[in-house]
Amino acid sequence: MKRKVTLKQIAKELDVSISTVSKALRNSVEISEDTKQKVQAFAKLYNYKPNNIALSLKNRKTNTIGIIIPEIVHHFFSKVIRGVELVANQRGYNVIIGLSNESFAKEVINMEMLANGSIDGFIISLSKETLQLQDYHHFNETINQGMPIVMFDRVVNEIQCDKVIVDDFEGAKNAVEKLIKNECKHIALITTKDYVSVGRLRTQGYLEALKTHGQDLKAELILKLDDNVDYEVNLDALEKEIEQLFKSNSKIDGIFAVNELYALTAMRVAGRLGFRVPDDIQVIGFTDGVLSKHSTPSLSTVSQHAQLMGEKAAGLLIDKLENDHEDETYQTQIIASELIERESTK
Amino acid sequence: MKRKVTLKQIAKELDVSISTVSKALRNSVEISEDTKQKVQAFAKLYNYKPNNIALSLKNRKTNTIGIIIPEIVHHFFSKVIRGVELVANQRGYNVIIGLSNESFAKEVINMEMLANGSIDGFIISLSKETLQLQDYHHFNETINQGMPIVMFDRVVNEIQCDKVIVDDFEGAKNAVEKLIKNECKHIALITTKDYVSVGRLRTQGYLEALKTHGQDLKAELILKLDDNVDYEVNLDALEKEIEQLFKSNSKIDGIFAVNELYALTAMRVAGRLGFRVPDDIQVIGFTDGVLSKHSTPSLSTVSQHAQLMGEKAAGLLIDKLENDHEDETYQTQIIASELIERESTK
């Protein structure tokens, strides 16, 4: 199969930006005649079809939404998909799903594949690698060509599109304030390294709650884990990290963890070290997965309303698809998180 | 958008079988001249492109595999997808996923959408509604047109294709024999109604184990639940059913449940009624989901090796896609299940 040349390849070959290529192919007045001629000649030579996405949008509506998520074995993402499906089906749209597996290259490949006439628009949560590389050309290229994107949960300012996020900062702050209200004086934070936007925001929420209530920030109470490690498989490694946190800080009486697995593992390690939850140590997690309500003790957690996120994202995308006039404004919908109190807090 | 007429519509309109239409369009000698002329004229009139799938296979290899699963919020299916992804990526294929949501119509729509040039072949687990309706035309049509399908887990004899299944019968039998060996005399079965093939096979395994070991079959020990009900959401309803089972059979000392949710709920209800697990009642589930190992007590269960199922399915499909000569033989690979003993059994 002869592969079509992409905008990105043309840009690289001619050493100009993707946006320049895109504009040149549309004969934009912003681009010099010389550049336009070069770009157009190159595109013709390599059989590049300009505006193929826009064409497919206008002539061949697929009534299909493409979702790209970083991970499939993940309760949060599957609940978001359920929400997208619900609204999509109500409004006569079908849904297909591609996985980036947290890989930048796979994200790009999936987008190119689906954008090529299979779908009308995207709902996307960024892969970790994309967040690390900070390379967003494939999103901007797709948007430039006229295909709408709605991002959820893992979003960045550099991409202008509709977004649906949860109030990670507020949710974390509320959780930590609950621990403070319950008289915890030494609250540990188990979080991820900062490049994942949601982990960073939750960390900031923790810091803000401590500050507001006059508790000192103790760096040794913050455990930042490398979430490129699949701790679901390497539970032992996770337990060791958390055990070390407890052993170095004998006074810990509260834990806020940025996901369910960290929180549950912290409860188990605490139990093994002879602490009682919630009498000696209170624990709050983030994400209301299946484990939280089935664990013993059941886990208090910040629910992100994943299904609602999916519903909102689908609504935003379909509104855009069915809105005839070119609408260049974008909105960010913030879903309020909710602290669900169970047995792991007093 | 003008929709293309499908093989099925032509068949219905002319009151002939899909296979007749398919053969007539290929000018097969098996079909009378009269019928061939009628079919071809109709196809021309409605702009039907004969062999579009086969054409796309030959001329435009997509290197993409389509997966259709009944449910996304389900650990088993997401692990299968992980397995498919793993092998697909190793061998240079991409994966896209469609959901049937247990609906026959959605299964058909997803298949038509993906078969239309987006993918090279399918990996599918049947929706419950399809199993109830026993309408498999969309699979046979796809296979007739030259696009290979591999089915996993929920399969039927009526579709001739490669299949990957777990030994549901043997797995269930082994689990119940373990309970018998552990001196359980009154073993209850919590299962689904019979139309789901895997539920039926697991029920048969339970019956066979009792028979082999000379235990009487007591109908009142078998609870058949309607698994169209989403018990994850309606936990109360599930608890009531199981409570009724315990109350009507005070001697129950063992439980085999055909899925994880039923097994965990049975443990919880048993605890509430004052029984100790495993001292008074031993429990074994089916499917090694996330809950089994994190529950208290942790749940003994029959593991289906979901990821391995996905790997095998992808291997079979890609072998078929890369095998040039027309291979009309099909194989069924059976994956041995494994009893994982945890705290819920002695």
Coordinates of all heavy atoms in Angstrom, one line a residue, chain A residues 1 59-62 64 71-75 78-79 81-82 85 89 94-99 101 106 109-110 113-114 118 230 232-233 235 261 264 268 290-291 293-296, chain B residues 1 59-62 64 71-73 75 78-79 81-82 85 89 94-99 101 106 109-110 113-114 118 230 232-233 235 261 264 268 290-291 293-296:
Chain A
M1 N 0.8 -1.2 0.0 CA 0.0 0.0 0.0 C 0.9 1.2 0.0 O 1.8 1.4 0.8 CB -0.9 0.0 1.3 CG -1.8 1.2 1.3 SD -2.8 1.2 2.9 CE -1.4 1.3 4.1
N59 N -18.9 16.0 2.5 CA -19.6 15.2 1.6 C -20.0 13.9 2.1 O -20.8 13.2 1.5 CB -18.6 14.9 0.4 CG -18.2 16.2 -0.3 OD1 -18.8 17.2 0.0 ND2 -17.1 16.1 -1.1
R60 N -19.4 13.5 3.2 CA -19.7 12.1 3.6 C -19.7 12.0 5.1 O -18.9 11.4 5.7 CB -18.5 11.2 3.1 CG -18.9 9.9 2.4 CD -17.6 9.2 2.0 NE -16.8 8.9 3.1 CZ -16.6 7.7 3.6 NH1 -17.1 6.7 3.1 NH2 -15.8 7.5 4.7
K61 N -20.8 12.6 5.7 CA -20.9 12.5 7.1 C -21.0 11.1 7.6 O -21.8 10.3 7.1 CB -22.1 13.3 7.5 CG -22.2 13.7 8.9 CD -23.1 14.9 9.2 CE -23.1 15.4 10.6 NZ -23.0 14.4 11.6
T62 N -20.1 10.7 8.5 CA -20.1 9.3 8.9 C -21.0 9.1 10.1 O -21.3 7.9 10.4 CB -18.7 8.9 9.4 OG1 -18.3 9.7 10.5 CG2 -17.7 9.2 8.2
T64 N -20.1 9.1 13.0 CA -19.3 8.4 14.0 C -18.3 9.3 14.7 O -17.7 10.2 14.1 CB -18.5 7.2 13.2 OG1 -19.5 6.4 12.5 CG2 -17.7 6.4 14.2
E71 N -5.5 4.2 27.8 CA -5.4 2.9 28.5 C -6.8 2.3 28.5 O -7.8 3.0 28.6 CB -5.1 3.2 30.0 CG -3.9 2.4 30.4 CD -3.8 2.5 31.9 OE1 -3.5 3.7 32.4 OE2 -3.9 1.5 32.6
I72 N -6.9 1.0 28.3 CA -8.2 0.3 28.3 C -8.5 -0.3 29.6 O -9.6 -0.4 30.1 CB -8.3 -0.6 27.1 CG1 -9.7 -1.2 27.0 CG2 -7.3 -1.8 27.2 CD1 -10.7 -0.3 26.3
V73 N -7.5 -0.9 30.3 CA -7.7 -1.6 31.5 C -7.8 -0.5 32.7 O -6.8 -0.4 33.5 CB -6.7 -2.7 31.8 CG1 -7.1 -3.5 33.0 CG2 -6.5 -3.6 30.6
H74 N -8.8 0.2 32.7 CA -8.8 1.4 33.5 C -10.3 1.8 33.7 O -10.9 2.2 32.7 CB -8.0 2.5 32.9 CG -7.6 3.6 33.8 ND1 -8.5 4.3 34.6 CD2 -6.4 4.1 34.2 CE1 -7.8 5.2 35.3 NE2 -6.6 5.1 35.1
H75 N -10.8 1.7 34.9 CA -12.2 1.9 35.2 C -12.6 3.3 34.8 O -13.7 3.5 34.2 CB -12.5 1.7 36.7 CG -13.9 1.6 37.0 ND1 -14.7 0.6 36.6 CD2 -14.8 2.5 37.7 CE1 -16.0 0.8 37.0 NE2 -16.0 1.9 37.7
S78 N -13.1 3.6 31.0 CA -14.2 2.9 30.4 C -15.5 3.5 30.9 O -16.5 3.5 30.1 CB -14.1 1.4 30.8 OG -13.8 1.2 32.2
K79 N -15.6 4.1 32.0 CA -16.8 4.9 32.4 C -17.0 6.1 31.5 O -18.1 6.4 31.2 CB -16.7 5.3 33.9 CG -16.8 4.1 34.9 CD -18.2 3.6 35.0 CE -18.9 4.3 36.2 NZ -20.1 3.6 36.5
I81 N -16.1 6.4 28.4 CA -16.6 5.8 27.2 C -18.1 5.5 27.3 O -18.9 5.8 26.4 CB -15.8 4.6 26.7 CG1 -14.4 5.0 26.4 CG2 -16.5 3.9 25.6 CD1 -13.5 3.9 26.1
R82 N -18.5 4.9 28.4 CA -19.9 4.6 28.6 C -20.8 5.9 28.5 O -21.8 5.9 27.8 CB -20.1 3.9 29.9 CG -21.6 3.5 30.1 CD -21.8 2.9 31.5 NE -21.5 1.4 31.5 CZ -21.6 0.7 32.6 NH1 -22.0 1.2 33.7 NH2 -21.4 -0.6 32.5
E85 N -20.9 7.0 24.8 CA -21.8 6.1 24.1 C -23.3 6.4 24.3 O -24.1 6.5 23.4 CB -21.6 4.6 24.6 CG -20.5 3.9 23.9 CD -21.0 3.1 22.7 OE1 -22.2 2.7 22.7 OE2 -20.2 2.9 21.8
N89 N -25.4 7.6 21.2 CA -26.5 6.8 20.7 C -27.9 7.6 20.7 O -28.6 7.5 19.8 CB -26.6 5.5 21.5 CG -25.5 4.6 21.2 OD1 -24.8 4.8 20.2 ND2 -25.2 3.7 22.1
N94 N -22.5 6.9 16.2 CA -21.8 5.7 16.6 C -20.5 6.0 17.2 O -20.0 7.2 17.0 CB -21.7 4.8 15.3 CG -21.5 3.3 15.7 OD1 -21.7 2.9 16.8 ND2 -21.2 2.5 14.7
V95 N -19.8 5.1 17.8 CA -18.6 5.4 18.5 C -17.5 4.4 18.2 O -17.9 3.2 18.2 CB -18.8 5.5 20.0 CG1 -17.5 5.5 20.8 CG2 -19.7 6.6 20.4
I96 N -16.3 4.8 17.8 CA -15.2 3.8 17.7 C -14.1 4.3 18.5 O -13.9 5.5 18.7 CB -14.8 3.4 16.3 CG1 -14.4 4.6 15.5 CG2 -15.9 2.6 15.6 CD1 -14.0 4.2 14.1
I97 N -13.3 3.3 19.0 CA -12.3 3.6 20.0 C -10.9 3.2 19.6 O -10.8 2.1 19.0 CB -12.6 2.9 21.4 CG1 -14.0 3.2 21.8 CG2 -11.6 3.2 22.4 CD1 -14.7 2.1 22.6
G98 N -10.0 4.1 19.7 CA -8.6 3.7 19.5 C -7.8 3.9 20.8 O -8.1 4.8 21.6
L99 N -6.7 3.2 20.9 CA -5.9 3.2 22.1 C -4.5 3.8 21.8 O -3.9 3.4 20.9 CB -5.7 1.8 22.8 CG -7.0 1.1 23.1 CD1 -6.6 -0.3 23.5 CD2 -7.8 1.8 24.1
N101 N -2.2 3.6 24.3 CA -1.3 2.9 25.2 C -0.3 3.9 25.7 O 0.9 3.4 25.9 CB -0.7 1.7 24.5 CG -1.6 0.5 24.5 OD1 -2.5 0.4 25.4 ND2 -1.4 -0.4 23.6
K106 N 1.7 6.0 18.9 CA 0.4 5.3 18.7 C -0.8 6.3 18.6 O -1.8 6.1 17.9 CB 0.1 4.3 19.8 CG 0.9 3.0 19.5 CD 0.1 1.8 19.9 CE -1.1 1.7 19.0 NZ -2.0 0.6 19.4
I109 N -0.7 7.8 15.1 CA -1.1 6.8 14.1 C -2.7 6.6 14.2 O -3.4 6.5 13.2 CB -0.4 5.4 14.4 CG1 1.1 5.6 14.0 CG2 -1.1 4.3 13.6 CD1 1.9 4.4 14.5
N110 N -3.2 6.4 15.4 CA -4.6 6.3 15.6 C -5.4 7.4 15.0 O -6.4 7.3 14.4 CB -5.0 6.1 17.1 CG -5.0 4.6 17.5 OD1 -5.9 3.9 17.0 ND2 -4.0 4.2 18.3
M113 N -5.3 7.4 11.2 CA -6.2 6.3 10.7 C -7.6 6.7 10.8 O -8.4 6.6 9.8 CB -5.9 5.1 11.5 CG -6.9 3.9 11.2 SD -6.5 2.6 12.3 CE -7.1 3.2 13.9
L114 N -8.1 7.2 11.9 CA -9.5 7.5 12.1 C -9.9 8.8 11.4 O -11.0 8.8 10.8 CB -9.8 7.6 13.6 CG -9.8 6.3 14.4 CD1 -10.1 6.6 15.8 CD2 -10.7 5.3 13.8
S118 N -13.2 8.0 8.5 CA -14.0 7.1 9.3 C -14.9 7.8 10.3 O -15.9 7.2 10.7 CB -13.1 6.1 10.1 OG -12.2 5.4 9.2
D230 N 3.9 0.1 35.8 CA 2.6 -0.4 36.0 C 2.5 -1.1 37.4 O 2.8 -2.3 37.5 CB 2.3 -1.4 34.9 CG 0.9 -2.0 35.0 OD1 0.2 -1.7 36.0 OD2 0.5 -2.7 34.1
E232 N 0.0 -1.9 39.1 CA -1.0 -3.0 39.2 C -0.3 -4.4 39.1 O -0.6 -5.3 39.7 CB -2.1 -2.8 38.2 CG -3.2 -3.8 38.3 CD -4.0 -3.7 39.6 OE1 -4.5 -2.6 40.0 OE2 -4.2 -4.8 40.3
V233 N 0.7 -4.4 38.2 CA 1.5 -5.6 38.0 C 2.6 -5.7 39.0 O 3.0 -6.8 39.5 CB 2.1 -5.7 36.6 CG1 3.0 -6.9 36.4 CG2 0.9 -5.7 35.5
L235 N 2.9 -4.7 42.2 CA 2.4 -4.3 43.5 C 3.5 -4.3 44.6 O 3.5 -3.4 45.5 CB 1.2 -5.2 44.0 CG -0.2 -4.8 43.6 CD1 -1.2 -5.8 44.2 CD2 -0.5 -3.4 44.2
L261 N -5.5 2.9 43.4 CA -4.5 1.9 43.7 C -3.5 2.3 44.8 O -3.2 1.5 45.7 CB -3.7 1.5 42.4 CG -2.8 0.4 42.5 CD1 -3.5 -0.9 42.8 CD2 -1.9 0.2 41.3
L264 N -5.5 2.3 48.2 CA -5.8 0.9 48.7 C -4.5 0.2 49.2 O -4.5 -0.4 50.2 CB -6.4 0.0 47.6 CG -7.8 0.4 47.2 CD1 -8.3 -0.4 46.0 CD2 -8.8 0.2 48.4
R268 N -3.4 -1.2 52.9 CA -3.0 -2.5 53.2 C -1.6 -2.5 53.9 O -1.4 -3.2 54.9 CB -2.8 -3.3 51.8 CG -2.8 -4.8 52.0 CD -3.0 -5.6 50.7 NE -2.1 -5.1 49.7 CZ -2.6 -4.5 48.6 NH1 -3.9 -4.4 48.3 NH2 -1.7 -4.1 47.7
V290 N -14.0 0.6 40.8 CA -14.8 -0.5 41.4 C -14.2 -0.9 42.8 O -14.9 -1.5 43.6 CB -14.7 -1.8 40.5 CG1 -15.9 -1.7 39.5 CG2 -13.4 -2.0 39.9
L291 N -12.9 -0.7 43.0 CA -12.3 -1.2 44.2 C -12.7 -0.5 45.4 O -12.8 -1.1 46.5 CB -10.7 -1.2 44.0 CG -10.1 -2.1 43.0 CD1 -8.7 -1.8 42.8 CD2 -10.3 -3.5 43.4
K293 N -15.4 0.8 46.6 CA -16.6 0.5 47.4 C -16.5 -1.0 47.9 O -17.1 -1.4 48.9 CB -17.9 0.8 46.7 CG -18.2 0.0 45.5 CD -19.6 0.3 45.0 CE -19.9 -0.2 43.6 NZ -20.2 0.8 42.7
H294 N -15.7 -1.8 47.2 CA -15.6 -3.2 47.6 C -14.5 -3.5 48.5 O -14.4 -4.7 49.0 CB -15.5 -4.1 46.3 CG -16.7 -4.2 45.5 ND1 -17.8 -5.0 45.9 CD2 -17.1 -3.7 44.3 CE1 -18.8 -4.9 45.0 NE2 -18.3 -4.1 44.0
S295 N -13.6 -2.6 48.8 CA -12.5 -2.9 49.7 C -12.9 -2.9 51.1 O -14.0 -2.5 51.5 CB -11.4 -1.8 49.5 OG -11.8 -0.6 50.0
T296 N -12.0 -3.5 52.0 CA -12.3 -3.6 53.4 C -11.1 -2.9 54.2 O -10.0 -3.5 54.1 CB -12.4 -5.0 53.9 OG1 -13.4 -5.7 53.0 CG2 -13.0 -5.1 55.3
Chain B
M1 N -26.3 12.2 3.3 CA -25.4 11.1 2.8 C -26.3 10.0 2.2 O -27.2 9.5 2.9 CB -24.6 10.6 3.9 CG -23.6 9.5 3.5 SD -22.7 8.8 4.9 CE -24.0 8.2 5.9
N59 N -6.6 -4.5 -2.4 CA -5.9 -3.3 -2.9 C -5.5 -2.3 -1.8 O -4.7 -1.5 -2.1 CB -6.9 -2.6 -3.8 CG -7.4 -3.5 -5.0 OD1 -6.7 -4.5 -5.2 ND2 -8.4 -3.1 -5.6
R60 N -6.0 -2.5 -0.7 CA -5.8 -1.4 0.3 C -5.7 -1.9 1.7 O -6.5 -1.7 2.5 CB -7.0 -0.4 0.2 CG -6.7 1.0 0.2 CD -8.0 1.8 0.2 NE -8.7 1.5 1.4 CZ -9.0 2.4 2.3 NH1 -8.6 3.7 2.2 NH2 -9.7 2.1 3.4
K61 N -4.7 -2.7 1.9 CA -4.5 -3.3 3.2 C -4.4 -2.2 4.2 O -3.6 -1.3 4.1 CB -3.2 -4.2 3.2 CG -3.2 -5.2 4.3 CD -2.2 -6.3 3.9 CE -2.2 -7.4 5.0 NZ -2.2 -7.0 6.4
T62 N -5.2 -2.3 5.3 CA -5.2 -1.2 6.3 C -4.3 -1.5 7.4 O -3.9 -0.6 8.2 CB -6.6 -1.1 6.9 OG1 -7.0 -2.3 7.5 CG2 -7.7 -0.8 5.8
T64 N -5.0 -2.9 10.0 CA -5.8 -2.6 11.2 C -6.8 -3.7 11.5 O -7.4 -4.3 10.6 CB -6.6 -1.3 11.0 OG1 -5.7 -0.2 10.8 CG2 -7.4 -0.9 12.3
E71 N -19.2 -5.1 25.9 CA -19.2 -4.2 27.1 C -17.8 -3.6 27.3 O -16.8 -4.3 27.1 CB -19.5 -5.1 28.3 CG -20.7 -4.6 29.1 CD -20.7 -5.4 30.4 OE1 -21.0 -6.7 30.3 OE2 -20.5 -4.8 31.4
I72 N -17.7 -2.4 27.7 CA -16.4 -1.8 28.0 C -16.0 -1.7 29.4 O -14.9 -1.9 29.8 CB -16.3 -0.4 27.3 CG1 -14.9 0.2 27.4 CG2 -17.3 0.6 27.9 CD1 -14.0 -0.3 26.3
V73 N -17.0 -1.6 30.3 CA -16.7 -1.5 31.7 C -16.7 -2.9 32.3 O -17.6 -3.4 33.0 CB -17.8 -0.7 32.5 CG1 -17.4 -0.5 33.9 CG2 -18.0 0.7 31.8
H75 N -13.6 -5.9 33.2 CA -12.2 -6.2 33.3 C -11.8 -7.3 32.3 O -10.7 -7.2 31.6 CB -11.9 -6.7 34.7 CG -10.4 -6.7 35.0 ND1 -9.6 -5.6 35.1 CD2 -9.6 -7.8 35.2 CE1 -8.4 -6.0 35.3 NE2 -8.3 -7.3 35.4
S78 N -11.5 -5.9 28.8 CA -10.4 -5.0 28.6 C -9.0 -5.7 28.6 O -8.1 -5.4 27.9 CB -10.4 -3.8 29.6 OG -10.7 -4.2 30.9
K79 N -8.9 -6.8 29.4 CA -7.7 -7.6 29.4 C -7.5 -8.3 28.0 O -6.4 -8.5 27.5 CB -7.7 -8.6 30.5 CG -7.6 -8.1 31.9 CD -6.2 -7.6 32.3 CE -5.5 -8.8 32.9 NZ -4.2 -8.3 33.5
I81 N -8.5 -7.2 25.2 CA -8.1 -6.1 24.3 C -6.6 -5.9 24.5 O -5.8 -5.7 23.5 CB -8.9 -4.8 24.5 CG1 -10.3 -5.1 24.0 CG2 -8.2 -3.7 23.7 CD1 -11.2 -3.9 24.3
R82 N -6.1 -5.9 25.7 CA -4.7 -5.7 26.0 C -3.9 -6.7 25.2 O -2.8 -6.5 24.7 CB -4.4 -5.6 27.5 CG -3.0 -5.3 27.8 CD -2.7 -5.4 29.3 NE -3.0 -4.1 29.9 CZ -2.8 -3.9 31.2 NH1 -2.4 -4.8 32.0 NH2 -3.1 -2.7 31.7
E85 N -3.9 -6.1 21.5 CA -3.0 -5.0 21.2 C -1.5 -5.4 21.2 O -0.7 -5.0 20.3 CB -3.1 -3.9 22.3 CG -4.3 -2.9 22.1 CD -3.8 -1.7 21.3 OE1 -2.6 -1.3 21.5 OE2 -4.6 -1.1 20.6
N89 N 0.5 -5.1 17.8 CA 1.6 -4.1 17.7 C 2.9 -4.8 17.3 O 3.7 -4.3 16.5 CB 1.8 -3.3 19.0 CG 0.6 -2.4 19.2 OD1 -0.1 -2.1 18.3 ND2 0.4 -1.9 20.4
N94 N -2.5 -2.2 13.8 CA -3.2 -1.3 14.7 C -4.5 -1.9 15.1 O -5.0 -2.8 14.4 CB -3.4 0.0 13.9 CG -3.5 1.2 14.9 OD1 -3.3 1.1 16.1 ND2 -3.9 2.3 14.3
V95 N -5.2 -1.4 16.1 CA -6.4 -2.0 16.6 C -7.4 -0.9 16.8 O -7.1 0.2 17.3 CB -6.1 -2.7 18.0 CG1 -7.5 -3.1 18.6 CG2 -5.2 -3.9 17.8
I96 N -8.7 -1.1 16.3 CA -9.7 -0.2 16.7 C -10.9 -1.0 17.3 O -11.1 -2.1 16.9 CB -10.2 0.8 15.6 CG1 -10.7 0.1 14.4 CG2 -9.2 1.8 15.3 CD1 -11.1 1.1 13.3
I97 N -11.6 -0.4 18.2 CA -12.6 -1.1 19.0 C -14.0 -0.5 18.8 O -14.2 0.7 18.8 CB -12.2 -1.0 20.5 CG1 -10.8 -1.5 20.7 CG2 -13.2 -1.7 21.3 CD1 -10.1 -0.8 21.9
G98 N -15.0 -1.4 18.6 CA -16.4 -1.0 18.5 C -17.1 -1.7 19.6 O -16.7 -2.8 20.0
L99 N -18.2 -1.1 20.2 CA -18.9 -1.7 21.2 C -20.3 -2.1 20.8 O -21.0 -1.3 20.1 CB -19.1 -0.7 22.4 CG -17.8 -0.1 23.0 CD1 -18.1 0.9 24.0 CD2 -16.9 -1.2 23.5
N101 N -22.5 -3.0 23.1 CA -23.4 -2.8 24.2 C -24.5 -3.9 24.4 O -25.6 -3.6 24.7 CB -24.1 -1.4 24.1 CG -23.2 -0.3 24.7 OD1 -22.3 -0.6 25.4 ND2 -23.4 0.9 24.3
K106 N -26.6 -2.8 17.3 CA -25.3 -2.1 17.4 C -24.2 -3.0 16.9 O -23.2 -2.5 16.3 CB -25.1 -1.6 18.8 CG -25.9 -0.4 19.2 CD -25.0 0.5 20.1 CE -23.8 1.1 19.3 NZ -22.9 1.8 20.1
I109 N -24.4 -2.7 13.1 CA -24.0 -1.4 12.6 C -22.5 -1.2 12.7 O -21.8 -0.7 11.8 CB -24.7 -0.3 13.5 CG1 -26.2 -0.2 13.1 CG2 -24.1 1.1 13.2 CD1 -27.0 0.6 14.1
N110 N -21.9 -1.6 13.9 CA -20.5 -1.5 14.1 C -19.7 -2.3 13.0 O -18.7 -1.9 12.5 CB -20.1 -2.0 15.5 CG -20.0 -0.9 16.5 OD1 -19.2 0.0 16.4 ND2 -21.0 -0.9 17.4
M113 N -19.9 -0.6 9.6 CA -19.1 0.6 9.6 C -17.6 0.2 9.4 O -16.9 0.7 8.6 CB -19.3 1.3 10.9 CG -18.3 2.5 11.1 SD -18.6 3.3 12.7 CE -18.0 2.0 13.8
L114 N -17.1 -0.7 10.3 CA -15.7 -1.1 10.2 C -15.3 -1.9 9.0 O -14.2 -1.7 8.5 CB -15.3 -1.8 11.5 CG -15.4 -1.0 12.8 CD1 -15.0 -1.9 14.0 CD2 -14.4 0.2 12.7
S118 N -12.1 0.1 6.6 CA -11.3 0.6 7.8 C -10.4 -0.5 8.3 O -9.4 -0.2 8.9 CB -12.2 1.1 8.9 OG -13.0 2.1 8.5
D230 N -28.3 -5.0 35.3 CA -26.9 -4.6 35.6 C -26.8 -4.6 37.1 O -27.1 -3.6 37.8 CB -26.7 -3.2 35.1 CG -25.2 -2.7 35.4 OD1 -24.5 -3.4 36.1 OD2 -24.8 -1.7 34.8
E232 N -24.2 -4.6 39.0 CA -23.2 -3.7 39.5 C -23.9 -2.4 40.0 O -23.5 -1.8 41.0 CB -22.1 -3.4 38.5 CG -21.0 -2.5 38.9 CD -20.1 -3.2 40.0 OE1 -19.7 -4.3 39.8 OE2 -19.9 -2.6 41.1
V233 N -24.9 -2.0 39.3 CA -25.7 -0.8 39.7 C -26.8 -1.2 40.7 O -27.1 -0.4 41.6 CB -26.3 -0.1 38.4 CG1 -27.2 1.0 38.8 CG2 -25.2 0.3 37.5
L235 N -27.0 -3.5 43.1 CA -26.4 -4.4 44.1 C -27.4 -4.9 45.1 O -27.4 -6.1 45.4 CB -25.3 -3.8 44.8 CG -23.9 -4.0 44.3 CD1 -22.8 -3.4 45.2 CD2 -23.6 -5.5 44.1
L261 N -18.6 -10.8 40.5 CA -19.6 -10.0 41.2 C -20.5 -10.9 42.1 O -20.8 -10.6 43.2 CB -20.4 -9.1 40.3 CG -21.4 -8.2 40.9 CD1 -20.6 -7.1 41.8 CD2 -22.3 -7.5 39.9
L264 N -18.5 -12.3 45.1 CA -18.1 -11.3 46.1 C -19.4 -10.9 46.9 O -19.4 -10.8 48.1 CB -17.5 -10.1 45.5 CG -16.1 -10.2 45.0 CD1 -15.7 -9.0 44.2 CD2 -15.1 -10.6 46.1
R268 N -20.3 -11.3 50.9 CA -20.7 -10.2 51.7 C -22.1 -10.6 52.4 O -22.2 -10.4 53.6 CB -20.9 -9.0 50.9 CG -21.0 -7.7 51.7 CD -20.8 -6.4 50.9 NE -21.7 -6.4 49.8 CZ -21.3 -6.5 48.5 NH1 -20.0 -6.5 48.2 NH2 -22.2 -6.4 47.5
V290 N -10.1 -7.6 38.9 CA -9.4 -6.8 39.9 C -9.9 -7.0 41.3 O -9.2 -6.9 42.3 CB -9.4 -5.3 39.7 CG1 -8.3 -4.9 38.7 CG2 -10.8 -4.8 39.2
L291 N -11.2 -7.3 41.4 CA -11.8 -7.4 42.8 C -11.3 -8.6 43.5 O -11.1 -8.5 44.8 CB -13.3 -7.4 42.7 CG -13.9 -6.1 42.1 CD1 -15.4 -6.3 41.9 CD2 -13.7 -5.0 43.1
K293 N -8.6 -10.3 44.0 CA -7.4 -10.3 44.8 C -7.4 -9.2 45.9 O -6.7 -9.3 46.9 CB -6.1 -10.3 44.0 CG -5.8 -9.0 43.2 CD -4.4 -9.1 42.6 CE -4.2 -8.0 41.6 NZ -3.9 -8.5 40.2
H294 N -8.2 -8.2 45.6 CA -8.3 -7.0 46.6 C -9.4 -7.2 47.6 O -9.5 -6.4 48.6 CB -8.5 -5.7 45.9 CG -7.2 -5.2 45.1 ND1 -6.1 -4.7 45.7 CD2 -7.0 -5.2 43.8 CE1 -5.2 -4.4 44.8 NE2 -5.7 -4.7 43.6
S295 N -10.3 -8.2 47.5 CA -11.4 -8.3 48.4 C -10.9 -8.9 49.8 O -9.8 -9.5 49.8 CB -12.5 -9.2 47.9 OG -12.1 -10.5 47.8
T296 N -11.7 -8.8 50.8 CA -11.4 -9.4 52.1 C -12.5 -10.3 52.6 O -13.6 -9.8 52.8 CB -11.2 -8.3 53.2 OG1 -10.3 -7.3 52.6 CG2 -10.6 -8.8 54.4

